[in-house]
C-alpha cells in the first residue's frame, strides 16, 4: 500500500509509477545487468517474498555510433 488507500490516497500515484517506469527503462537502456554469483540472498516472507538483495552489476553498454 505504498500510495495509501481510501479518500486521501495519493493523487500522484500514476505520475510516480510513470516516472519509475521511465527511470528503470532508462537504466536498462544504458546498462547491462550482469549477475553477481558470490552474494548470499535471503528471502523474507512479508506481504510478498522479499529478497535481501538483488545481486547484479550495472555495466555501461558500449556506445555505438552510426556514421
Ligand atoms: C513513489 C512516489 C510516491 C509515493 C510512495 C507516495 C505516497 C503517498 C502516500 C502514502 C500518501 C498518503 C495516502 C493516504 O493518506 O492514504 C500520499 C498522498 C499524496 N500524494 Fe503521494 N506519493 C508519491 C508520489 C506523489 C507525486 C509524484 C505526487 C504529485 C505530483 C503526489 C501527491 C500527493 C498528494 C497531493 C497527496 C495528498 C492527497 C490527499 O491528502 O488528499 N504523490 N502519497
Amino acid at each position: 500500500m505504498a500510495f495509501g488507500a481510501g479518500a486521501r490516497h495519493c493523487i500522484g500515484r500514476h505520475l510516480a509509477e510513470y516516472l519509475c517506469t521511465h527511470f528503470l527503462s532508462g537504466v536498462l537502456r544504458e546498462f547491462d545487468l550482469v549477475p553477481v554469483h558470490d552474494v548470499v540472498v535471503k528471502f523474507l516472507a512479508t506481504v510478498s517474498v522479499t529478497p535481501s538483495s538483488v545481486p547484479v552489476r550495472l555495466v555501461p553498454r558500449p556506445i555505438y555510433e552510426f556514421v
Side-chain angles (χ1 to χ4, degrees), residues 35-41 53 55-57:
V36 176
H37 297 290
D38 57 353
V39 176
V40 177
V41 179
S53 68
V56 291
R57 182 173 291 120

Side-chain angles (χ1 to χ4, degrees), residues 29-50:
R29 263 197 313 276
E30 300 288 332
F31 296 90
D32 285 323
L33 297 183
V34 178
V36 176
H37 297 290
D38 57 353
V39 176
V40 177
V41 179
K42 292 180 182 159
F43 292 91
L44 185 66
T46 55
V47 176
S48 60
V49 177
T50 310

Side-chain angles (χ1 to χ4, degrees), residues 5 11-14 18 21 24-25 30 33 36 45 47 49 52-53 56-57 62 66:
I11 60 168
R13 174 178 186 158
H14 295 294
Y18 167 79
T21 305
L24 286 173
S25 62
E30 300 288 332
L33 297 183
V36 176
V47 176
V49 177
S52 57
S53 68
V56 291
R57 182 173 291 120
F66 299 100

Side-chain angles (χ1 to χ4, degrees), residues 2-5 8-12 15-16:
F3 296 97
R8 304 302 302 267
H9 71 278
C10 177
I11 60 168
L15 175 62

